[in-house]
Amino acid sequence: MKIFLDTADLDEIKQGVAMCLVDGVTTNPSLLAKTGKTFEQVAPEITRLVSGPISLEVISDDAEGMIAEARELARIADNVVVKVPMTEQGLIAVAKLADENIPTNVTLIFSAVQALLAAKAGAAYVSPFIGRLDDISHEGMELVEQIKTIFDNYGFGTEIIVASVRSPLHVLEAALAGADIATVPFKVLKQMFIHPLTASGIAKFKEDYAKIPKR
Ligand code: E4P
């Protein structure tokens, strides 16, 4: 399973790249706003830091506007993926962009039929938002399982990005469900390294190493 970082924070991305574990990055307007920097200061730099797919989101409501934005975004770098909202207009844009070989990531997916439509439209990726479903007492991961089944049933090449990840448990469940990608906040990536038994095991080995007679 590929791991994307769900952030627009350049320091976090640099640290993730140093771990050699980051296969791509997803951003959205909220994440960009958090950086306090302009889009121009942040987006091109992300595409340079990570060679994998970088999702950058359009904000127009109509297909024509989305397509115009998408063409601009795609000019930033070859690894840009255009993030398009799951709406009728969004999917019209997705289909036209697919004809132009501009890859899209359909975002804000909350049902399996939405994912089916996005795949039929030619999306390269779909992003089901798991945490936001859990927040309203729905089993977010069931959605991922349903989408996986549908895509396998019909051989869709669209990849599933498990988004709105809140914890390492979400990453575990995404992997067990066979999702292609989990896009994780930097904090969650750091949490994934940690286990108390690893820490205590290292401490014990160090302690015992000191007891080994030295020549
Ligand atoms: C995905 O691409 C989105 O950027 C993100 O996962 C949304 O997560 P949130 O629900 O934590 O805002």
Side-chain angles (χ1 to χ4, degrees):
M1 185 176 68
K2 285 170 272 189
I3 294 179
F4 288 3
L5 269 186
D6 194 29
T7 183
D9 184 306
L10 295 176
D11 286 336
E12 289 184 350
I13 294 168
K14 284 176 194 162
Q15 288 180 62
V17 168
M19 293 172 191
C20 306
L21 286 169
V22 175
D23 300 303
V25 175
T26 52
T27 69
N28 63 38
S30 309
L31 293 170
L32 281 157
K34 266 200 226 169
T35 67
K37 295 182 178 157
T38 66
F39 179 84
E40 290 72 21
Q41 285 172 319
V42 175
E45 183 62 12
I46 298 175
T47 65
R48 284 190 284 270
L49 288 171
V50 177
S51 58
I54 310 299
S55 288
L56 303 175
E57 190 156 342
V58 296
I59 47 141
S60 297
D61 292 324
D62 61 307
E64 211 174 303
M66 290 182 203
I67 292 166
E69 276 187 69
R71 288 178 183 144
E72 284 298 314
L73 293 173
R75 266 194 274 276
I76 294 174
D78 287 345
N79 56 341
V80 167
V81 171
V82 178
K83 218 170 175 188
V84 176
M86 176 58 224
T87 60
E88 277 183 42
Q89 290 294 306
L91 293 196
I92 292 169
V94 165
K96 299 211 163 127
L97 291 168
D99 287 342
E100 295 182 25
N101 290 319
I102 295 179
T104 53
N105 169 5
V106 177
T107 188
L108 292 163
I109 296 245
F110 292 97
S111 81
V113 288
Q114 287 181 321
L116 172 61
L117 293 180
K120 283 182 69 67
Y125 304 92
V126 288
S127 289
F129 275 39
I130 299 319
R132 294 193 195 187
L133 279 171
D134 286 356
D135 289 346
I136 57 161
S137 305
H138 282 253
E139 271 289 345
M141 210 48 69
E142 274 178 13
L143 172 59
V144 175
E145 288 161 6
Q146 288 174 349
I147 297 171
K148 172 76 180 148
T149 301
I150 292 169
F151 286 7
D152 286 352
N153 283 350
Y154 297 101
F156 284 116
T158 305
E159 292 189 69
I160 303 170
I161 303 179
V162 174
S164 189
V165 164
R166 305 266 199 261
S167 68
L169 184 57
H170 275 157
V171 182
L172 170 65
E173 290 170 340
L176 290 173
D180 302 282
I181 301 145
T183 187
V184 302
F186 185 65
K187 181 181 155 217
V188 173
L189 180 61
K190 294 277 280 181
Q191 288 172 329
M192 287 168 66
F193 282 90
I194 296 165
H195 195 288
L197 291 179
T198 305
S200 61
I202 290 170
K204 176 73 175 141
F205 285 149
K206 274 185 189 290
E207 193 186 311
D208 290 343
Y209 180 81
K211 294 177 194 160
I212 301 172
K214 307 289 178 299
R215 274 190 291 164

